[in-house]
């Protein structure tokens, strides 16, 4: 029973502080045993003492808690300075308990002596409130904490202020023969710059952009058999007066560029029951019909046989008519392993391609045939009269996947001209009947770039599964994994290779399209290649030779790989790097004091010696994680300003190796999966280890590392200096309460720049497309999207003479953003 004058609120406050004290004591002692901070154990003593004094109705409870709050504030400032979000995680619970203790229901109960034992004047003097007696120190400390919080809200220690260089080079508006108002390839041109010479939309008027039209494809994820990664990531192409795009379920659509009305649609009739991890189409490939002659194709080979039967192909034509002659072509790689050629004028199948069928079978000569397990999620490259195709394989399911071969086909006939297989790199002539490519060789699932003048195609390569264990890798696998290679367009012969990670054990495959740009360095023009990586490097190379233009240094890397494996003693680091500083215990975060403590304990339990800490049986912290500082969206480069507009993302992951006893047991997904479903990623059948891989988050699902997690930034490509860097995006669509806190959030999808000095980005996990001033990074405009915008925007000139910004909003499975089927065009108001 409560004693005299003891209010229920006082009892609740006392019990709450005692429970918090017990929790902090348990967690704090655990953290100390791991070599971590003593703060939580010390704070636990203060909470426990406060609770005991509250039950005794002693005003000294407020004095004690004032010391707890003051100590917490001092410790927090010592650890993170005036950085709002890390401060909030350390002080939120303590601050709220302090407010509770100053409420009248608590302070009026803190004198339990009978009033008759003393005079009324003494009783008044002993009365406690927020502004009297023992409450005054706590009120003062709360006021100081509030002032510090207010100051930190307007302070961002992660922000880099500066100004990017202005134009420093003259570039023709129709570079590579692409008219300024058109967009012919994923990166607009074969150079992969994601830069448009258009200048109608400027920093001064971009805030006036309005929605011009919206088109809905009707294609959204949720059909039977759809994998989680059924995503609408397309960047449409624009030539003539039409836009051309593909959908997740592989339909190809042509739209009127000024109204968004559908002109034609082609359905390739994808077969069912595919072994899919991803169902997406990032874009189409456009052949203009005016390229230089390619190397003469070899005689038509005999029918191809493989070690296992080729999958049956659906009929190429849907309801569209067939066309014998297509002077220009659209190419679409399908999820069931075909490459289809269409006439962009009417969507008709180009029957001269593929021996009268309009398609070729990419499973030809492929080992380990399993429909859906291999196809090209990204648009193939057009180089002269060749279409050059790579492909993705099932990620970390087994060691018996398809080949990562790169193949070049004649754009008119579909005849195979050459093949380059990183497992057998010296032989590029087409295979003889009955031969197969090397299984499980490193593949290229991203987008390539082409320099026809130099006669080279630049291809980013991934890893051989499994990603986290490489004890059985061959010399060729170790040579080409996580590299960018330059191949001769005519023959497929290797011209140079640059490896971004040695003996990659972190899934740091090269995810981004290389961007080609001519840089003015030391008074000379250097044909350069800019290669972004998952680990945050931007390698700037001479694209003629693969030699670094900006310095690359080999730095010592952590050692101690899993049994049977090894690690490279050094790893390459570029002078232009977005690699974040190594994480420390003080970088741990959480929504509250408690999950921050839990994150500190988890951090101390994991193996972590900085970037390139090898995977381990006890669990390794991988930072940056395999989500990537940069991913398939790549960066945008401005050939006039000689800068890159970038969108670095920072999310830590945990990688834990699990010894496999056999090739049947499921160690990752468990035995309760549907019998017909695809095994989970990272089972690694055939390898000695499966791997448990997850984002490093607290029990509440928030990242254990402190925000910001995403930025926009600009870098000078001639010096390697980062000109400015600002956190970007809010948690409006990623938190239970839709409050647009500007925390800086992850991005998946690329940026785009224009000659007028405006950049656009839609890939953040909040549903917005935004416009930025390239010079200083200031956000100039934003528009709300109806779904996640995980695609790369593009811009073009419509038939009406207006410049349009085009955004695709379709969401993303593993990011958890809202699915959609929207194609949205924005333009300035008509004058």
């Amino acid at each position: 029973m409560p004693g005299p004058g003891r209010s229920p609120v006082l009892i609740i406050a006392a019990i709450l502080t005692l429970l918090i004290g017990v929790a902090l004591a348990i967690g704090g002692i655990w953290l100390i045993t791991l070599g971590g901070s003593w703060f939580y154990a010390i704070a636990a003593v203060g909470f426990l003492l406060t609770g005991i004094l509250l039950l005794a109705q002693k005003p000294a409870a407020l004095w004690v808690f004032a010391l707890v709050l003051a100590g917490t504030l001092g410790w927090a400032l010592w650890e993170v300075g005036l950085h709002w979000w890390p401060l909030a995680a350390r002080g939120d619970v303590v601050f709220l308990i302090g407010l509770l203790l100053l409420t009248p229901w608590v302070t009026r109960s803190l004198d339990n002596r009978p009033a008759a034992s003393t005079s009324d004047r003494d009783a008044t003097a002993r009365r406690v409130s927020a502004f009297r007696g023992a409450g005054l120190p706590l009120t003062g400390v709360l006021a100081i904490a509030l002032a510090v919080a207010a100051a930190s809200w307007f302070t961002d220690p992660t922000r880099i202020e500066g100004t990017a260089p202005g134009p420093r080079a003259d570039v023709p508006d129709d570079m590579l023969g692409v008219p300024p108002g058109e967009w012919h390839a994923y990166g607009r041109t074969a150079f992969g710059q994601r830069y448009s010479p258009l200048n109608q939309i400027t920093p001064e008027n971009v805030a006036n952009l309005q929605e011009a039209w919206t088109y809905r494809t009707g294609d959204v994820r949720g059909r039977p058999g759809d994998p989680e990664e059924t995503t609408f990531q397309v960047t449409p192409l624009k030539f003539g007066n039409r836009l051309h795009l593909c959908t997740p379920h592989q339909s190809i659509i042509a739209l009127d560029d000024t109204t968004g009305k559908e002109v034609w649609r082609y359905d390739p009739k994808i077969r069912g029951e595919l072994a899919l991890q991803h169902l997406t189409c990032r874009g189409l490939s456009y052949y203009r019909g005016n390229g230089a002659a390619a190397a003469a194709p070899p005689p038509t080979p005999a029918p191809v046989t493989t070690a296992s039967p080729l999958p049956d192909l659906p009929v190429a034509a849907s309801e569209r008519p067939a066309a014998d002659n297509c002077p220009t072509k659209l190419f679409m790689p399908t999820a069931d392993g075909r490459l289809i050629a269409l006439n962009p004028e009417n969507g008709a199948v180009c029957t001269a391609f593929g021996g009268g069928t309009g398609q070729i079978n990419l499973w030809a000569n492929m080992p380990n045939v399993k429909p859906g397990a291999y196809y090209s999620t990204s648009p193939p490259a057009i180089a002269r009269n060749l279409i050059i195709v790579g492909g993705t394989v099932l990620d970390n399911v087994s060691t018996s996947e398809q080949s990562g071969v790169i193949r070049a086909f004649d754009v008119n006939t579909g005849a195979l001209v050459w093949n380059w297989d990183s497992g057998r790199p010296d032989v590029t002539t087409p295979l003889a009947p009955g031969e197969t490519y090397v299984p499980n060789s490193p593949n290229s699932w991203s987008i390539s770039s082409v320099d026809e003048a130099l006669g080279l195609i630049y291809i980013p390569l991934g890893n051989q599964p499994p990603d986290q264990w490489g004890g059985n890798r061959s010399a060729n696998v170790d040579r080409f994994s996580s590299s960018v290679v330059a191949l001769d367009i005519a023959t497929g012969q290797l011209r140079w290779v640059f490896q971004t990670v040695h003996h990659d054990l972190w899934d740091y495959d090269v995810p981004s399209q290389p961007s080609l740009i001519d840089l003015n360095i030391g008074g000379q023009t250097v044909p350069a290649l800019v290669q972004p990586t998952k680990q945050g490097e931007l390698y700037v190379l001479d694209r003629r030779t693969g030699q670094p233009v900006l310095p690359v240094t080999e730095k010592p890397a952590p050692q101690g790989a899993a049994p049977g494996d090894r690690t490279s003693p050094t790893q390459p680091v570029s002078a232009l790097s977005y690699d974040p500083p190594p994480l420390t215990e003080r970088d741990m975060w959480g929504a509250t004091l408690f999950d921050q403590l839990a994150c500190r304990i988890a951090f101390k339990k994991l193996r972590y010696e900085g970037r390139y800490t090898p995977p381990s049986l006890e669990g390794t912290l991988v930072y940056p994680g395999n989500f990537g500082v940069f991913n398939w969206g790549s960066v945008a480069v401005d050939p006039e300003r000689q800068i890159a507009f970038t969108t670095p993302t920072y999310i830590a992951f945990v990688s834990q190796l699990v010894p496999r006893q056999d090739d049947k047991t499921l160690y990752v997904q468990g035995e309760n999966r549907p019998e017909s479903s695809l095994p989970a990623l990272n089972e690694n059948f055939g390898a000695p280890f499966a791997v448990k891989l997850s984002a490093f988050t607290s029990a509440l699902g928030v990242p254990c590392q402190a925000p910001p997690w995403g930025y926009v930034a600009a870098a000078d490509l001639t010096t390697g200096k980062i000109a400015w860097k600002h956190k970007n995006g809010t948690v409006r669509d990623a938190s239970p309460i839709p409050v647009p806190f500007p925390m800086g959030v992850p991005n998946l999808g690329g940026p785009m720049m224009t000659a007028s000095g405006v950049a656009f980005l839609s890939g953040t996990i909040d549903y917005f497309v935004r416009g930025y001033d390239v010079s200083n990074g200031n956000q100039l405009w934003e528009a709300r999207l109806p779904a996640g915008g995980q695609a790369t925007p593009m811009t073009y000139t419509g038939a009406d003479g207006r410049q349009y910004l085009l955004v695709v909003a379709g969401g993303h499975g593993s990011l958890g953003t809202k699915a959609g089927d929207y194609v949205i065009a924005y333009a300035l108001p008509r004058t």
Side-chain angles (χ1 to χ4, degrees):
M1 296 290 293
R6 189 181 295 168
S7 74
V9 177
L10 176 72
I11 296 173
I12 292 171
I15 293 173
L16 188 59
T17 53
L18 288 171
L19 290 174
I20 291 173
V22 170
L24 291 178
I26 295 172
I29 293 171
W30 190 359
L31 183 60
I32 290 172
T33 64
L34 295 171
S37 172
W38 284 61
F39 164 77
Y40 299 91
I42 296 171
V45 174
F47 271 94
L48 291 171
L49 184 56
T50 299
I52 293 170
L53 292 172
L54 286 173
L55 287 177
Q57 295 179 261
K58 299 294 185 181
L62 303 186
W63 278 97
V64 171
F65 202 78
L67 291 174
V68 171
L69 180 58
T72 301
L73 180 60
W75 166 75
L77 286 171
W78 172 71
E79 282 212 322
V80 299
L82 288 175
H83 193 181
W84 162 257
W85 291 109
L87 281 176
R90 288 160 172 79
D92 51 7
V93 170
V94 185
F95 186 87
L96 292 174
I97 294 296
L99 290 178
L100 174 63
L101 297 186
L102 289 179
T103 60
W105 303 283
V106 174
T107 58
R108 289 173 185 172
S109 301
L110 290 181
D111 176 20
N112 62 354
R113 286 181 292 175
S117 66
T118 185
S119 66
D120 291 342
R121 178 178 298 175
D122 291 339
T124 300
R126 288 187 296 101
R127 191 171 296 152
V128 177
S129 72
F131 302 102
R132 183 191 295 272
L136 192 58
L138 181 54
T139 299
V141 179
L142 283 170
I144 294 172
L146 194 61
V148 169
S152 68
W153 184 260
F154 298 100
T155 303
D156 183 1
T158 69
R159 187 178 178 97
I160 298 175
E161 294 285 11
T163 302
R168 294 181 284 178
D170 293 326
V171 179
D173 286 350
D174 60 349
M175 189 170 63
L176 302 184
V178 178
E182 299 194 352
W183 195 282
H184 285 193
Y186 175 80
R188 187 175 174 271
T189 71
F191 274 17
Q193 294 177 342
R194 279 160 290 283
Y195 167 85
S196 170
L198 298 183
N199 57 14
Q200 191 179 111
I201 299 172
T202 68
E204 291 72 32
N205 64 25
V206 65
N208 298 323
L209 281 178
Q210 299 175 349
E211 186 175 318
W213 54 260
T214 296
Y215 169 80
R216 301 192 65 176
T217 68
D219 185 341
V220 294
R221 70 172 178 257
R223 301 181 187 180
D226 279 0
E228 180 184 34
E229 296 297 353
T230 301
T231 56
F232 193 22
Q233 297 176 337
V234 67
T235 297
L237 306 182
K238 195 271 182 179
F239 47 90
N241 292 334
R242 290 182 187 167
L243 299 162
H244 298 85
L245 62 120
C246 51
T247 70
H249 293 93
Q250 319 282 276
S251 290
I252 306 167
I253 300 170
L255 304 177
D256 181 277
D257 67 4
T258 58
T259 65
K261 292 183 178 179
E262 185 176 307
V263 178
W264 56 259
R265 177 187 289 242
Y266 175 85
D267 180 1
K269 307 293 186 184
I270 302 299
R271 62 171 290 174
E273 298 182 358
L274 298 175
L276 293 170
Q277 284 178 339
H278 303 268
L279 183 57
T280 191
C281 176
R282 296 192 181 97
L284 304 168
S285 303
Y286 170 51
Y287 173 64
R288 289 181 287 174
N290 59 352
T300 303
V304 174
T305 59
T306 62
S308 55
L310 291 175
D312 293 332
L313 293 181
V315 177
S318 59
E319 292 78 18
R320 307 304 309 171
D324 290 331
N325 182 33
C326 300
T328 63
K329 294 180 180 68
L330 280 176
F331 289 97
M332 167 72 179
T334 66
D336 51 10
R338 293 175 284 158
L339 180 65
I340 301 175
L342 299 180
N343 188 332
E345 290 298 315
N346 54 16
V349 175
C350 300
T351 56
F353 185 79
T357 65
Q359 64 182 6
I360 56 176
N361 187 354
L362 297 178
W363 283 103
N365 294 88
M366 188 65 70
N368 303 321
V369 173
K370 186 190 305 179
Y374 167 87
Y375 81 104
S376 182
T377 56
S378 298
I382 302 292
R384 300 177 179 166
N385 281 354
L386 297 177
I387 181 163
I388 302 173
V389 187
T392 184
V393 301
L394 293 183
D395 199 9
N396 293 327
V397 169
S398 78
T399 59
S400 301
E401 299 303 329
Q402 297 71 45
S403 176
V405 62
I406 310 298
R407 287 172 285 184
F409 301 94
D410 185 280
V411 293
N412 294 309
T413 67
L416 180 64
V417 176
W418 55 258
N419 40 235
W420 182 80
D421 187 344
S422 58
R424 186 166 48 203
D426 298 327
V427 179
T428 63
T429 53
L431 295 188
E435 287 189 292
T436 59
Y437 302 112
V438 177
N440 227 36
S441 54
N443 65 309
S444 179
W445 57 266
S446 190
I447 305 101
S448 298
S449 297
V450 174
D451 186 335
E452 291 190 353
L454 289 178
L456 297 176
I457 178 170
Y458 306 95
I459 301 171
L461 292 178
N463 293 317
Q464 176 190 78
D467 286 316
Q468 284 80 21
W469 191 81
N472 292 336
R473 293 176 185 169
S474 68
N476 279 330
V477 168
D478 258 345
R479 180 187 180 193
F480 291 109
S481 289
S482 299
S483 297
V484 56
V485 298
L487 303 182
D488 186 281
I489 291 174
T491 66
Q493 290 290 326
L494 179 70
R495 291 293 173 255
W496 57 258
V497 55
F498 179 88
Q499 189 164 62
T500 67
V501 184
H502 306 320
H503 197 68
D504 184 1
L505 302 176
W506 303 272
D507 192 18
Y508 282 159
D509 49 356
V510 183
S512 303
Q513 180 183 26
S515 294
L516 311 185
I517 180 174
D518 294 338
L519 296 177
N520 294 328
I521 298 179
Q524 295 188 351
T525 299
V526 178
L529 174 150
V530 180
Q531 182 60 69
T533 67
K534 284 186 177 181
Q535 62 270 30
E537 308 300 316
L538 259 66
Y539 294 103
V540 182
L541 311 175
D542 187 320
R543 66 178 184 267
R544 296 168 296 189
T545 63
Q547 294 300 308
V549 173
L550 296 180
V552 174
T553 306
E554 291 285 338
K555 295 191 175 181
Q559 299 298 292
D565 206 348
R566 65 177 182 85
T567 54
S568 172
T570 63
Q571 294 290 354
V573 177
S574 173
L576 175 49
S577 177
Y578 288 92
D579 178 32
L583 291 175
T584 65
E585 183 193 330
R586 67 179 59 191
D587 294 314
M588 296 303 99
W589 193 71
T592 67
L593 186 69
F594 308 113
D595 55 326
Q596 193 213 45
L597 171 57
C599 284
R600 286 178 181 252
I601 293 170
F603 175 79
K604 285 293 186 179
K605 290 172 64 180
L606 293 169
R607 182 180 178 187
Y608 180 65
E609 299 151 34
R611 189 167 71 165
Y612 301 121
T613 303
S616 61
L617 296 171
E618 66 268 29
T620 290
L621 184 64
V622 182
Y623 184 67
N626 68 327
F627 182 86
V629 177
F630 302 107
N631 209 294
W632 54 262
S634 196
V635 301
V637 300
D638 184 330
E640 294 187 340
R641 293 178 177 83
Q642 313 261 290
I643 64 171
F645 183 93
T646 66
T647 60
T649 291
Y650 301 105
I651 296 292
F653 272 66
V654 175
S655 171
Q656 182 180 11
L657 298 177
V658 181
R660 295 198 61 84
Q661 303 302 319
D662 55 56
D663 285 341
K664 295 181 180 179
T665 304
L666 296 176
Y667 291 92
V668 178
Q669 189 172 344
E671 298 291 349
N672 295 324
R673 69 181 183 92
E675 185 175 344
S676 61
S677 69
L678 189 70
L681 277 70
N682 308 318
E683 287 290 355
N684 298 339
F685 296 115
F689 299 98
V691 61
K692 292 182 179 178
L693 188 68
S694 62
F696 185 38
T697 59
S698 74
L700 298 180
V702 300
C704 272
Q705 71 195 81
W709 306 298
Y711 298 83
V712 289
D716 188 331
L717 294 172
T718 66
T719 65
K721 303 297 183 183
I722 296 174
W724 52 260
K725 185 172 80 168
H726 304 164
K727 65 184 179 184
N728 183 59
T730 73
V731 293
R732 170 173 174 171
D733 298 301
S735 61
I737 303 174
V739 180
F741 289 134
M743 297 179 71
V745 297
N747 169 84
L748 187 61
M752 178 267 293
M753 277 197 288
T754 67
S756 63
V758 183
F760 294 98
L761 176 69
S762 65
T764 52
I765 60 172
D766 58 349
Y767 309 156
F768 289 93
V769 54
R770 296 181 170 95
Y772 310 85
D773 189 322
V774 166
S775 297
N776 54 30
N778 291 340
Q779 182 179 312
L780 304 173
W781 169 80
E782 69 178 21
R784 182 74 172 157
L785 298 175
Q790 280 69 59
T792 301
M794 55 85 78
T795 187
Y796 65 92
T797 301
D800 58 358
R802 292 200 293 169
Q803 181 184 351
Y804 288 83
L805 167 70
L806 197 71
V807 178
V808 167
H812 194 273
S814 59
L815 281 183
T817 53
K818 182 180 177 182
D821 62 342
Y822 300 87
V823 182
I824 307 172
Y826 301 88
L828 297 172
R830 296 180 186 274
T831 57

